[in-house]
Amino acid sequence: MKLLFLAVLDPKSGNHTTAERIRFAVAFTDKLKRDAELYLHSQSSKISVQPQGISTQVSEDFSWAEFLRQSGVSGGHVERLHVFLLICGLRRVKDPLFLVESFSEWHSENPQNVLVIIGPRIDPVLTDEVEAVVKRTAGVFLAREMSQPELHAAMKRCFALVNSSVSEGMSAAILEAMDLGLPVVARDIPGNKAVVQHEVNGLLYSSPEEFVHQSQRLLSDHELRERVIRDAKVYVVKHHSLKQERETYQRQIHYYWRGW
């Protein structure tokens, strides 16, 4: 279970359990709040819901052609490519190889569609596996890690943001894509469904075959693409303001500080 705890404990209750000592906690979603209440055996009033706040910053020095070259994407018509970007730390819960086989088959039918995976090498064993699979798989590439501004610049040039995780708390990459005008194609799991409404502000899929189907819709239906981009931007501005997140934590700290 992935919860965000602002670990504020009551210093006057040292003989109590950790759950009893918690003055307040913050969860990203209503579901995580309900899970936290069961996990902590805590009163509902101690747990607040505050969606993750995000901000984006795009590098002005970013070179799209250089990014593709360093990722191994070559050819004389890179401007015509539909680059699907999978941002994830290389660890099992992110399931970075989930779409590789189906995407490669799709790429063989339409070479303009390519998948680029980018993220920190967290699990050495999985990293070796991913590198080996990518080397022998057409249409799938593994990019080097970049700074956040560089990554945001790359996102703005891609066709879609991909999420293939087995589990998510609240994906910052999805929220950042929404803010940057990059449509999202995300795996249908509870953490993603808390953010992505299918055909409203993004697309959801359950299997690799369904991923290809939803991506084909995004390619062929320009009205759908424009709608999900527009509604995603409205959603993230309304619900995932960094300023609002900061104010929530400051308000909680101030309130409970006065009570000590």
Side-chain angles (χ1 to χ4, degrees):
M1 178 173 54
K2 188 174 182 180
L3 298 171
L4 174 61
F5 283 107
L6 213 122
V8 179
L9 305 180
D10 188 343
K12 300 177 183 178
S13 57
N15 294 327
H16 296 129
T17 65
T18 300
E20 292 171 332
R21 294 181 64 202
I22 288 177
R23 296 302 299 269
F24 74 88
V26 178
F28 283 154
T29 66
D30 290 325
K31 181 182 183 303
L32 288 177
K33 177 182 177 180
R34 293 191 297 270
D35 291 344
E37 289 167 359
L38 294 173
Y39 180 73
L40 297 173
H41 308 288
S42 178
Q43 295 178 358
S44 178
S45 60
K46 287 188 176 183
I47 307 170
S48 299
V49 176
Q50 172 57 56
Q52 182 177 8
I54 58 100
S55 65
T56 56
Q57 180 182 0
V58 176
S59 171
E60 296 180 358
D61 300 325
F62 175 76
S63 169
W64 177 242
E66 183 64 13
F67 166 72
L68 293 177
R69 187 190 68 79
Q70 291 189 358
S71 301
V73 183
S74 60
H77 303 286
V78 293
E79 294 299 326
R80 299 181 187 177
L81 293 176
H82 301 128
V83 180
F84 290 76
L85 188 65
L86 172 57
I87 301 174
C88 66
L90 298 186
R91 52 197 180 104
R92 298 291 175 185
V93 72
K94 297 297 183 179
D95 208 0
L97 296 176
F98 182 62
L99 299 172
V100 165
E101 183 177 347
S102 291
F103 197 100
S104 183
E105 291 175 359
W106 186 33
H107 167 79
S108 67
E109 299 170 4
N110 188 342
Q112 288 182 315
N113 302 324
V114 299
L115 175 66
V116 175
I117 303 170
I118 185 169
R121 276 68 165 167
I122 298 172
D123 180 335
V125 175
L126 180 61
T127 295
D128 290 344
E129 183 181 344
V130 171
E131 290 176 345
V133 169
V134 166
K135 283 181 181 179
R136 63 174 184 265
T137 304
V140 181
F141 305 88
L142 185 62
R144 64 174 180 84
E145 290 184 63
M146 300 188 295
S147 69
Q148 198 77 344
E150 289 177 317
L151 181 59
H152 290 165
M155 291 168 74
K156 285 187 70 69
R157 296 295 303 270
C158 290
F159 181 79
L161 186 282
V162 179
N163 176 286
S164 60
S165 298
V166 175
S167 176
E168 286 281 1
M170 182 168 286
S171 169
I174 287 178
L175 299 177
E176 289 163 358
M178 288 179 166
D179 190 55
L180 291 165
L182 180 65
V184 172
V185 188
R187 195 165 179 174
D188 191 348
I189 57 174
N192 289 343
K193 289 175 69 173
V195 174
V196 180
Q197 285 185 270
H198 184 58
E199 298 183 345
V200 176
N201 62 1
L203 297 173
L204 295 170
Y205 69 91
S206 298
S207 67
E209 295 75 21
E210 190 178 2
F211 165 80
V212 172
H213 171 68
Q214 297 299 343
S215 297
Q216 288 173 329
R217 293 181 64 205
L218 202 59
L219 282 163
S220 62
D221 190 337
H222 299 295
E223 182 180 342
L224 171 65
R225 178 179 171 83
E226 291 175 2
R227 185 174 71 250
V228 298
I229 289 174
R230 181 182 64 248
D231 289 352
K233 180 68 174 182
V234 170
Y235 166 79
V236 80
V237 168
K238 181 177 180 181
H239 296 286
H240 297 277
S241 161
L242 194 62
K243 179 175 179 289
Q244 181 179 339
E245 182 186 43
R246 187 181 298 116
E247 289 174 350
T248 295
Y249 295 145
Q250 290 173 340
R251 186 169 57 251
Q252 291 279 26
I253 291 171
H254 176 71
Y255 175 77
Y256 284 103
W257 181 262
R258 288 176 58 192
W260 284 354

